[in-house]
Amino acid sequence: PLLWASRAVGRPARSVRAMAQLSAARPRERGRRRHLVAAGCAVAVLLGASSRGFAAGRGDLSAGPPSATGAVAEQGRRGWLLQAVGLLSSVQPASAEEIAEDDDIADFFCSRCCARDWCHCDDLTCNCHAALKSKGYKVPLDAASAQRAAGTSAWAEKLGWRDATIPGWKPAADEQLQVKDSLFEGAGKGLFAASVLPKGTVLPPYQGASLKFAEVQQRLRTSEMRYMWCPRTSSTRIKNMSTAELREGPLAEQQSYCVDSAQAASPVANPGRFVNSASQLDQCKDANLEICEIGDVMYYRTTREVTAGSELVTNYGTAYWKGFSGCPAFSSD
C-alpha cells in the first residue's frame, strides 16, 4: 500500500533546488552570471582535482599554474580559490522561483544533476525525464505518452523501462523478485529479493489504473486510497484544490496520472504493489528501498545491496501510519 502524497520518501536533505541556491545563485545581470559560472567551475576544479589525475600531459592543477612550484604553487592555488570565492560571494542568491524560471541555470544544473542521480534530482525544479532525454539518453516513456499508446489500464506495458540508458539505471529482472508472506506481522504478502540486488537496482514501475482528478477525490481519506500513488506535480495540485474543484472543477475530468494499484495484483507484472513499509522505528533498519519518480511514473530503487532472501522494505513517510511519523530520512549516498 502507498500513500498518494509520500513521494518525498528517501530523498536526501540537499535537493537540487538547495544545491542551485547555494552553488549557483542567480546573478541579476547576464554579465555577472558568467562570473558566477566561472567562479563555480574554478572552485570545483580546485577542490576536486587530484595531482595524479591531471599530471599526465595536462599540468598539475592541484599545484596551481603549471609554471609554479613549491610555495609559489600553493600561494597561486590559494589565490585562485580566493578569487573564485570572492566572485561567488558577490552574487545575490536566487530564490527557487528564479532558478526555476531561468532556463540557462535550470538546464545547466538539471542536466548534470539528473545524469548524476535521476531519482534525487527529479523534483519541481528539475524534470529529469526531459533533461535526460534532451541530452540523448534513452528514457522510459512518460505516463502521458504511455497512456496515449495503450490506454489508462495497460499503459505500463509501453514504458520500455528496461531499455533505458540513464546513468546508473539498473533494471531488475523478473526472476530476481519473489512475492511471499511478509516477515512483518499482520502485513500479508511482501516482496523479496530472490537473488542479490545491487545498490541502485530499479524495480518494475508501480502500476494500476490511471485516475482522473475526480476519481482521486473519491478515494481521498477513505480505505480506497490504500494502494494509490500520485506524481509530485499532481499531489501539489490536489493539495491546493478544494473538494468541489476536484469533483467538478476544470481539471476534474483530466488525467492526474495518479495510480490505483488495488486491482493490479499480479506478483509478476506489478511486484511493487507488495512492497511493505516500516511501521515503527525499530523496523526502519530494514528499509532498503526508496521511492523514485521519472516521467510521472513511480519506481522503487534499492538504497543498498540487498541479499537474496531479504524482504524489500520502504518508508511511506510522515502521513501514512497513525502514531508513527515515518523513518528518519535516509538516502542512497
Side-chain angles (χ1 to χ4, degrees):
L2 286 176
L3 178 66
W4 65 273
S6 65
R7 171 61 183 84
V9 172
R11 296 175 63 81
R14 58 185 190 281
S15 67
V16 67
R17 181 183 292 123
M19 291 165 56
Q21 286 176 300
L22 290 172
S23 61
R26 182 191 185 195
R28 301 307 178 184
E29 299 86 21
R30 293 196 176 271
R32 295 176 67 198
R33 182 182 297 126
R34 297 190 188 99
H35 288 290
L36 173 66
V37 173
C41 291
V43 171
V45 169
L46 288 168
L47 294 180
S50 67
S51 57
R52 182 176 299 175
F54 288 93
R58 290 180 291 174
D60 186 353
L61 291 186
S62 67
S67 60
T69 58
V72 176
E74 177 62 18
Q75 183 178 6
R77 187 172 74 92
R78 290 180 181 176
W80 290 5
L81 181 59
L82 287 172
Q83 290 181 40
V85 170
L87 283 171
L88 283 172
S89 63
S90 69
V91 181
Q92 281 285 355
S95 67
E97 291 75 14
E98 288 176 312
I99 291 168
E101 291 171 359
D102 192 302
D103 291 339
D104 292 343
I105 292 181
D107 290 347
F108 180 86
F109 284 96
C110 290
S111 62
R112 287 156 180 78
C113 187
C114 292
R116 179 179 180 271
D117 190 339
W118 60 273
C119 178
H120 290 166
C121 291
D122 190 90
D123 61 12
L124 290 175
T125 299
C126 281
N127 178 341
C128 282
H129 188 274
L132 292 168
K133 186 176 181 179
S134 71
K135 295 300 180 183
Y137 294 106
K138 187 173 183 179
V139 296
L141 282 184
D142 59 15
S145 300
Q147 290 183 27
R148 284 194 295 270
T152 58
S153 297
W155 57 271
E157 298 173 6
K158 296 294 184 179
L159 290 173
W161 68 280
R162 283 198 171 103
D163 299 325
T165 60
I166 298 171
W169 187 269
K170 305 171 188 175
D174 290 340
E175 59 269 20
Q176 290 183 289
L177 304 171
Q178 181 182 15
V179 174
K180 57 184 181 180
D181 290 340
S182 175
L183 299 177
F184 292 168
E185 184 177 354
K189 298 295 184 181
L191 184 63
F192 290 76
S195 62
V196 174
L197 298 178
K199 176 182 175 180
T201 298
V202 179
L203 273 57
Y206 190 78
Q207 304 172 34
S210 186
L211 305 175
K212 299 176 181 178
F213 281 98
E215 294 172 320
V216 171
Q217 191 280 321
Q218 294 171 2
R219 290 163 172 78
L220 288 180
R221 301 173 187 86
T222 73
S223 60
E224 293 185 23
M225 68 179 291
R226 185 182 180 196
Y227 289 96
M228 187 168 68
W229 174 86
C230 286
R232 180 183 289 104
T233 52
S234 294
S235 294
T236 300
R237 285 182 173 181
I238 292 166
K239 290 176 184 177
N240 292 328
M241 293 167 69
S242 67
T243 299
E245 287 175 319
L246 284 169
R247 186 189 300 122
E248 302 172 347
L251 296 180
E253 295 303 311
Q254 291 187 19
Q255 272 298 323
S256 67
Y257 305 112
C258 298
V259 172
D260 185 354
S261 192
Q263 303 303 316
S266 168
V268 175
N270 192 24
R273 181 188 186 277
F274 299 92
V275 171
N276 287 309
S277 168
S279 61
Q280 53 196 47
L281 195 59
D282 63 351
Q283 295 174 345
C284 290
K285 66 181 184 302
D286 300 315
N288 49 25
L289 292 179
E290 59 189 341
I291 298 173
C292 300
E293 174 187 334
I294 188 166
D296 292 330
V297 178
M298 192 271 270
Y299 299 85
Y300 285 114
R301 186 175 72 170
T302 57
T303 59
R304 60 174 183 265
E305 182 178 279
V306 181
T307 58
S310 297
E311 183 165 4
L312 293 164
V313 179
T314 193
N315 170 26
Y316 287 166
T318 60
Y320 189 86
W321 302 104
K322 291 183 179 179
F324 178 58
S325 59
C327 296
F330 65 94
S331 76
S332 59
D333 292 341

